[in-house]
Amino acid sequence: MTTQFSQFSLSPALMARLDANKFEIPTPVQIGCIPPALEGRDVLATAQTGTGKTLGYLIPIVEMMQKAEGRGALALIVLPTRELAMQVEQAFLSIRSNPSQTVALVVGGLAERSQLDAIRRGARLIVATPGRLEDYLKRKLVRLDGVKILVLDEVDRMLDMGFQPAIARIAATLPAVRQTLCYSATLEGSVKEVARKYLNDPVRVEIGSVLKPAENVELRTFEVEQDKKQELLEHLLGAETGSFLVFVRTKHGADRVARRLVRSGHSATQIHGDRSQAQRNQALRSFSEGRHRVLVATDVAARGIDVANVAHVINFDMPKMAEDFVHRVGRTGRASAHGVASTFAGPAERGDLRKIERALSLHMKHFRVRSADTAKAA
């Protein structure tokens, strides 16, 4: 029998918002996380991006807010990137059951004034990246002593990015008695340490293999000379339908690939660390709304990108680690849709490719490319 949101004993006001957004059948991560979170238990969940975990923690937050009175932050969500924080803010606004459930976005790269105004007006939820939140705490511009629920999302990414000390300093300002919900794609050493430090007897939720691309993503590898990669990309754009998310290693590479695509008549845009936040937001919006068919991205800029309906992921340059491969490939084949992920391996990258296949126990479909329109199965 299919579980439905109506079986979680949620308030009529929240159910009405879920119905309005066409949320009827919860995902496995939501089935695992929502009931214990509603009971006030701590939760430690391993799940990839795209499994529905955001709703898994927003629903308990909205339910808790309905019963609380007063002003000021009741819940704090800490995440690795601005893009992810902005998506979580939008998701919260779409399901909140009352306009008094206000939110402050606390991230770098955007004007402080509107963020601080929202805090001063008594925002009930703060969605933050660690650096900017820590800055506000140091300057005594935000108080977290009323927080009842702390969410640490994409913990593995935050630790990769060096945020462990910031998380520790933020946690030190919170009430000792609180509920903590922790989400990560992996449970490696440093993530375990964070869980041990901040969670109290957590319910453990594990969704799918932590290091495995989704079953519904077709994995292909093209053995291709470095100087033929652009030609192959353009061939695939001509041969297949749908949107393309293209991963490259460097900012310079992202600009170069996007510029060449535009010159060849393709609608392409790019995001990387040298682009301003406004430029990144604009590129992401135009890609998700279909005004650009191709988004060229570096790994750091792409962390936290959550765009529905990406038909094809291209690893134009090989990712450095197996985990990065899983994160990249996880941008397609979302919510059980079919996706395709193609990896371009130049002569110098074939060893890296074999390492990734071994680490993930995968065997991808291999093609050898002489010129772009002669891709032969190897």
Side-chain angles (χ1 to χ4, degrees):
M1 199 178 99
T2 308
T3 303
Q4 297 194 314
F5 281 109
S6 52
Q7 288 166 253
F8 291 148
S9 310
L10 302 174
S11 62
L14 178 51
M15 276 308 303
R17 293 308 308 142
L18 294 175
D19 288 343
N21 284 281
K22 306 272 190 293
F23 293 128
E24 289 162 16
I25 297 169
T27 66
V29 75
Q30 291 160 2
I31 292 167
C33 293
I34 291 172
L38 288 171
E39 288 169 11
R41 296 282 307 273
D42 285 5
V43 173
L44 173 59
T46 38
Q48 301 288 356
T49 303
T51 50
K53 58 192 168 71
T54 305
L55 216 54
Y57 56 72
L58 287 177
I59 284 174
I61 285 173
V62 172
E63 283 289 80
M64 179 269 291
M65 282 183 179
Q66 292 185 141
K67 304 179 184 107
E69 292 175 0
R71 294 172 79 254
L74 291 166
L76 169 65
I77 301 170
V78 184
L79 332 105
T81 67
R82 282 175 291 235
E83 287 83 2
L84 195 54
M86 291 160 85
Q87 285 162 14
V88 168
E89 179 199 29
Q90 288 311 308
F92 173 75
L93 290 172
S94 71
I95 70 154
R96 67 179 178 176
S97 54
N98 188 310
S100 68
Q101 293 163 2
T102 49
V103 56
L105 184 70
V106 173
V107 296
L110 297 177
E112 279 191 6
R113 191 170 171 184
S114 59
Q115 301 181 25
L116 294 172
D117 282 350
I119 291 166
R120 284 190 199 106
R121 286 197 299 268
R124 304 302 260 158
L125 168 65
I126 292 175
V127 182
T129 50
R132 177 59 66 95
L133 179 59
E134 199 185 9
D135 176 45
Y136 286 1
L137 285 167
K138 275 184 192 147
R139 290 154 60 195
K140 301 204 167 20
L141 296 172
V142 63
R143 289 181 57 175
L144 301 174
D145 52 357
V147 167
K148 295 180 187 303
I149 299 181
L150 167 66
V151 177
L152 298 172
D153 194 3
E154 299 216 358
V155 174
D156 51 330
R157 286 294 177 197
M158 289 199 280
L159 299 182
D160 282 352
M161 294 162 83
F163 284 134
Q164 190 158 1
I167 292 168
R169 286 189 287 266
I170 291 162
T173 68
L174 299 171
V177 178
R178 61 166 191 270
Q179 184 179 5
T180 304
L181 312 175
C182 186
Y183 294 79
S184 177
T186 65
L187 246 198
E188 286 159 354
S190 52
V191 178
K192 277 195 187 132
E193 181 61 24
V194 164
R196 196 186 56 73
K197 212 165 168 184
Y198 303 120
L199 297 169
N200 177 28
D201 185 26
V203 173
R204 183 80 180 85
V205 178
E206 239 173 311
I207 301 302
S209 164
V210 170
L211 257 191
K212 265 269 185 286
E215 299 284 323
N216 43 319
V217 177
E218 182 188 339
L219 300 173
R220 305 173 183 167
T221 300
F222 293 90
E223 293 187 6
V224 57
E225 295 295 327
Q226 191 65 31
D227 61 357
K228 291 277 191 294
K229 285 186 176 185
Q230 186 84 21
E231 193 187 333
L232 176 59
L233 173 59
E234 292 183 28
H235 170 73
L236 292 175
L237 281 163
E240 306 201 5
T241 56
S243 58
F244 276 58
L245 177 53
V246 179
F247 284 99
V248 293
R249 196 166 285 161
T250 66
K251 302 166 194 176
H252 175 64
D255 283 333
R256 190 176 59 239
V257 170
R259 268 200 308 269
R260 284 181 181 171
L261 287 173
V262 170
R263 276 206 301 272
S264 302
H266 298 282
S267 58
T269 186
Q270 70 270 40
I271 59 170
H272 54 67
D274 278 355
R275 301 203 85 195
S276 71
Q277 190 57 37
Q279 286 173 317
R280 287 201 220 180
N281 294 346
Q282 197 178 353
L284 203 52
R285 198 175 305 118
S286 69
F287 179 63
S288 62
E289 291 172 2
R291 290 197 302 279
H292 283 102
R293 184 184 174 203
V294 187
L295 179 64
V296 186
T298 55
D299 281 306
V300 171
R303 282 178 186 163
I305 285 181
D306 194 2
V307 177
N309 310 321
V310 174
H312 206 133
V313 166
I314 302 279
N315 291 312
F316 193 93
D317 296 322
M318 284 291 296
K320 286 193 175 70
M321 293 154 60
E323 195 180 324
D324 290 329
F325 179 87
V326 173
H327 272 275
R328 287 179 177 192
V329 168
R331 308 295 170 190
T332 186
R334 309 292 284 272
S336 75
H338 176 74
V340 179
S342 297
T343 299
F344 295 178
E349 296 170 309
R350 283 175 202 154
D352 293 340
L353 176 66
R354 279 192 293 276
K355 244 186 257 171
I356 284 173
E357 284 190 309
R358 273 201 306 275
L360 300 175
S361 309
L362 290 176
H363 187 70
M364 303 185 228
K365 203 184 287 181
H366 281 247
F367 296 89
R368 277 207 192 90
V369 180
R370 296 287 168 258
S371 68
D373 51 359
T374 61
K376 290 199 171 64

